[in-house]
Amino acid sequence: MTEISSTYGAILFGASMAFGLSGIVGTQCVIYFKMYPDDLQTIKALVSAVWTLDLTHTAFICASLAYYFVTHFGDQARGDSIPWSIALTVVVTAIQTFLVQCFFAQKILRSSKNNWYITGPIILLSLLRLLAASVSTVEMIQLHSYSAFGARYPGWVFTTGLSLSAGVDILITGWLYYFLREIRARTGSTIMIQAIDNLTLYTLETGALTSLAAVASLICWLIMPTNLIFLGLHFVIGKLYANSLLASLNTRKELRRMRTGHGRPWVPHRVPGLSTSSLGTDTFGHANPVEVYKFNPKAARLNINVERTILEDDAETSIERSLRRYSRRFQAWERP
């Protein structure tokens, strides 16, 4: 029973999670094409490619479930067999990972003012991860056995691929966090700080999810190479990358709305015209009949409107000045 739960059960559980995440990917793709019809063709092509890869990955998972639970149902000896569909899920996941990591590397390149010393190693490591996954796929198809695949070679190739995936995620998250905190430290706008804080939280969450999934699959692969728990977790990795890309694209309008402060900055509603002197009282609250008699409601309302307008215009000018100063750097996060 333990062997079945850690082999077939792990595959079935991982496939169920992957199907759910694939549905979220499809929903986000529909939202993207409806919300951003004027995006660059390259970005639309990227989204289309990621969606196509996600559907292909899901189809391969379905084919593997049919292999284990339909074609060879009840044949426990097939638990060590690697169908071609399982092997292809590895390279499809690697291609998705490479595309998404290059997308975020582009954001780092913009934020670092085209610093290739930072961005270059990220792209190179991501390319090596794709190469390692491609070798793993070829070896899986040739060996057709999990026990043979777990040998020193090509086992270390698969280990290297997962390690590179987690490492690149950590690098991307770390650099994005660094540039966001740098922008936050130099801006004095409350609206900008709020937008940057929300974006920082989102960056850490998405980076942590993808890296934790890769690390969890790597740990299970190293500690429990005789079961398929690592494979069930590996099914989820590509879906998380696709969702992180689409979430980043679909939140751009919200970022613009937050950066502009709903079109007008928020100012506390002070009522300077209704002071104690205007109401005919002194500092200690004693009434002054003469001042009350001279109180003109129309003049008071005019005073309120004029002073409130002056306060709001001053605040808006200050905020707009700050936004113009940092908008070019922050727009790297709003553009695809």
Side-chain angles (χ1 to χ4, degrees):
M1 182 65 68
T2 303
E3 182 180 354
I4 294 177
S5 62
S6 61
T7 53
Y8 296 115
I11 292 177
L12 188 60
F13 182 73
S16 300
M17 293 181 61
F19 293 156
L21 290 172
S22 184
I24 298 175
V25 171
T27 302
Q28 290 210 71
C29 286
V30 173
I31 293 173
Y32 167 78
F33 284 113
K34 286 187 175 181
M35 290 181 62
Y36 303 96
D38 299 326
D39 262 1
L40 297 174
Q41 292 300 321
T42 53
I43 302 303
K44 291 182 179 179
L46 174 63
V47 173
S48 300
V50 169
W51 196 4
T52 302
L53 288 170
D54 179 76
L55 293 175
T56 304
H57 184 265
T58 302
F60 287 152
I61 294 177
C62 291
S64 64
L65 293 180
Y67 176 86
Y68 288 116
F69 298 105
V70 178
T71 306
H72 301 286
F73 177 75
D75 187 359
Q76 295 188 18
R78 292 288 177 175
D80 188 56
S81 178
I82 304 178
W84 62 267
S85 54
I86 289 288
L88 291 179
T89 60
V90 176
V91 70
V92 171
T93 296
I95 296 173
Q96 279 183 304
T97 301
F98 178 74
L99 292 177
V100 176
Q101 288 177 342
C102 287
F103 171 81
F104 286 110
Q106 183 189 30
K107 285 188 175 293
I108 294 176
L109 185 65
R110 289 176 179 173
S111 300
S112 62
K113 299 179 180 179
N114 297 326
N115 190 337
W116 283 99
Y117 291 104
I118 295 175
T119 313
I122 293 176
I123 297 177
L124 177 60
L125 292 175
S126 184
L127 187 61
L128 290 176
R129 185 267 191 277
L130 177 59
L131 178 61
S134 301
V135 174
S136 297
T137 297
V138 172
E139 292 297 330
M140 280 183 169
I141 294 175
Q142 291 180 349
L143 296 174
H144 200 68
S145 171
Y146 289 110
S147 57
F149 181 74
R152 176 167 296 184
Y153 178 84
W156 67 267
V157 178
F158 188 73
T159 302
T160 302
L162 289 176
S163 301
L164 288 173
S165 179
V168 172
D169 284 342
I170 294 173
L171 284 175
I172 290 175
T173 305
W175 280 116
L176 291 178
Y177 176 80
Y178 169 78
F179 289 119
L180 282 170
R181 301 308 291 181
E182 186 182 44
I183 297 174
R184 188 186 190 279
R186 295 183 179 182
T187 182
S189 168
T190 304
I191 296 173
M192 283 282 289
I193 289 175
Q194 182 183 3
I196 292 171
D197 286 343
N198 289 334
L199 185 57
T200 301
L201 180 61
Y202 159 77
T203 301
L204 292 176
E205 287 176 348
T206 54
L209 278 176
T210 53
S211 59
L212 284 176
V215 169
S217 181
L218 175 62
I219 291 175
C220 292
W221 163 253
L222 294 175
I223 297 178
M224 299 175 289
T226 58
N227 59 45
L228 302 182
I229 296 178
F230 77 93
L231 186 61
L233 292 172
H234 197 272
F235 284 162
V236 179
I237 294 176
K239 313 295 185 183
L240 292 176
Y241 277 103
N243 275 298
S244 66
L245 168 68
L246 291 164
S248 177
L249 291 172
N250 289 337
T251 54
R252 286 175 292 157
K253 285 189 176 181
E254 181 66 16
L255 283 176
R256 296 191 189 108
R257 186 187 67 83
M258 292 179 62
R259 183 170 66 86
T260 56
H262 306 278
R264 190 173 184 85
W266 179 85
V267 178
H269 294 288
R270 296 179 57 188
V271 190
L274 297 179
S275 60
T276 55
S277 60
S278 300
L279 293 175
T281 58
D282 58 19
T283 306
F284 298 95
H286 300 297
N288 188 338
V290 177
E291 293 295 327
V292 173
Y293 177 76
K294 293 180 180 179
F295 176 69
N296 188 342
K298 293 183 179 180
R301 285 196 295 270
L302 180 61
N303 186 29
I304 292 170
N305 292 332
V306 170
E307 293 192 29
R308 180 182 298 170
T309 302
I310 293 173
L311 285 172
E312 290 183 351
D313 289 344
D314 289 343
E316 186 171 4
T317 303
S318 176
I319 291 174
E320 287 179 349
R321 222 174 14 242
S322 177
L323 290 177
R324 283 196 300 270
R325 185 178 179 184
Y326 298 101
S327 60
R328 290 184 179 179
R329 297 193 66 185
F330 192 69
Q331 281 175 359
W333 303 85
E334 297 177 3
R335 296 198 307 268

